[in-house]
Amino acid sequence: ELIIIRFLHGLSYGISSTATSTIASSAVPKSKRGEGIGYFMLSTTLATAIGPFLGTILSLSGNYTYIFILCSVTAVISFIAAFFLNIQELNLTHEEKQSMRGIKFSNFFEVKSLTISVICGLFYFCYSTVFSFINAYAKSLNLIKESSFFFLVIAIVIFLSRPVTGKRFDKKGENSIMYPGFLIFSAGMIFLSSVNNGFMLLAAGAAIGLGVGIIQSGGQTVAVNLAPNHRIGMANSTFFSFLDFGVGAGPFILGYFIPYTGYRGIYLIMGISAVFFIFIYHYFHGKNASTNSVETDSI
């Protein structure tokens, strides 16, 4: 039964996250898309940060019923709110409809957005170690109390930075935020591997949150901008598919290395690995970022 419930959770989340992201991406002009997606992603990122914080607080009572009740109430509120959305219908040409028929790779993934999606998926592979292992790591350091504020710090940093980085994306281009984003995240992960007190733990969380906030919204905006207007939904689907794969595969694979590296070793390795994303991003997208933008405008 638990597996069936989790399957339904994953199915509903996959559908709703793709749909809402597409609605938000289509609602703003391309010249403001970095800022628009940044504001939209505030909601999802804040939810994933505040959720664990509230979950930790409620779980201290030892009664998980309160957590399920809270989640059920918020789900009902979201369902009701969906009826008040003003959604513009997309009118496809005959050629566009024809191109989307049949069973082929391009009908499941947006090819133009594939590279940036893979890069961000690998990035989230590294990030997955944070929310998967942070409680056990904090417990080993006797920092359980401080760890309950870890994700709250991430939420606050993202909330304060998203509007600024979104505007910079629109004015200066994706490279102006993506390169620093990878570096900041890498520094945060390396710093996390060496913490020994609560202040250092929360400081590492602030750096990690800033890096994740930049890469998540910046990467999604790049993925959407690279796709034709009638395939924005497919671009979002491609992007989040790889993000979800990274989140799911990370703990499963890296968990096997914990007995050999310890939590400090895993965070150090993930922090160093994040540095290489700068070169991967530059080779596959960054060096041609301006060219890509021009090509997308002409579609």
Side-chain angles (χ1 to χ4, degrees):
E1 293 181 357
L2 182 60
I3 295 177
I4 295 175
I5 293 173
R6 292 301 295 162
F7 174 81
L8 293 175
H9 283 168
L11 180 64
S12 59
Y13 175 76
I15 294 173
S16 60
S17 62
T18 301
T20 52
S21 295
T22 302
I23 294 171
S25 302
S26 303
V28 293
K30 184 180 176 182
S31 60
K32 294 286 186 178
R33 196 167 281 165
E35 183 178 1
I37 290 180
Y39 282 122
F40 170 74
M41 292 305 295
L42 269 177
S43 62
T44 58
T45 307
L46 284 173
T48 57
I50 295 176
F53 172 73
L54 292 177
T56 301
I57 298 299
L58 292 174
S59 66
L60 292 177
S61 66
N63 191 342
Y64 288 92
T65 302
Y66 296 126
I67 298 177
F68 295 129
I69 292 175
L70 178 61
C71 291
S72 298
V73 170
T74 54
V76 171
I77 294 174
S78 298
F79 176 75
I80 297 174
F83 288 97
F84 296 93
L85 288 175
N86 183 18
I87 304 173
Q88 293 182 340
E89 294 293 333
L90 182 63
N91 297 318
L92 301 179
T93 65
H94 177 73
E95 291 76 14
E96 290 171 344
K97 292 180 179 179
Q98 287 292 113
S99 66
M100 299 178 70
R101 290 179 177 177
I103 300 177
K104 50 186 177 180
F105 183 82
S106 60
N107 282 346
F108 295 93
F109 297 96
E110 172 51 50
V111 178
K112 293 184 177 180
S113 305
L114 196 59
T115 299
I116 189 65
S117 299
V118 171
I119 293 172
C120 290
L122 292 172
F123 175 84
Y124 259 69
F125 180 87
C126 295
Y127 177 52
S128 68
T129 58
V130 174
F131 49 80
S132 296
F133 304 139
I134 192 65
N135 286 335
Y137 180 46
K139 185 177 181 179
S140 69
L141 299 174
N142 295 318
L143 298 175
I144 292 294
K145 183 179 179 180
E146 291 81 354
S147 69
S148 64
F149 293 94
F150 183 83
F151 291 102
L152 184 61
V153 169
I154 289 179
I156 293 173
V157 171
I158 290 175
F159 182 83
L160 295 175
S161 65
R162 273 269 167 79
V164 177
T165 56
K167 288 182 179 180
R168 184 171 180 83
F169 183 106
D170 293 328
K171 292 182 179 181
K172 302 293 184 179
E174 56 261 48
N175 288 350
S176 67
I177 67 169
M178 295 296 282
Y179 290 131
F182 286 123
L183 278 176
I184 293 171
F185 174 80
S186 176
M189 292 293 284
I190 294 173
F191 189 57
L192 181 62
S193 70
S194 62
V195 302
N196 51 39
N197 59 62
F199 176 79
M200 292 178 66
L201 181 69
L202 298 182
I208 291 171
L210 180 57
V212 170
I214 292 172
I215 299 302
Q216 185 184 46
S217 60
Q220 184 187 358
T221 306
V222 171
V224 169
N225 283 347
L226 290 174
N229 287 333
H230 71 284
R231 291 182 63 86
I232 287 180
M234 191 66 69
N236 276 313
S237 175
T238 301
F239 182 78
F240 284 109
S241 292
F242 281 93
L243 251 63
D244 292 339
F245 181 79
V247 168
F252 177 76
I253 295 174
L254 296 174
Y256 288 106
F257 294 91
I258 295 295
Y260 306 101
T261 64
Y263 296 110
R264 290 187 184 275
I266 281 293
Y267 289 132
L268 178 61
I269 293 171
M270 293 301 100
I272 295 174
S273 298
V275 175
F276 291 97
F277 292 148
I278 298 174
F279 302 100
I280 297 173
Y281 168 82
H282 177 77
Y283 180 80
F284 287 102
H285 179 80
K287 65 180 180 181
N288 299 316
S290 59
T291 302
N292 288 334
S293 298
V294 173
E295 289 176 352
T296 307
D297 287 335
S298 63
I299 293 175

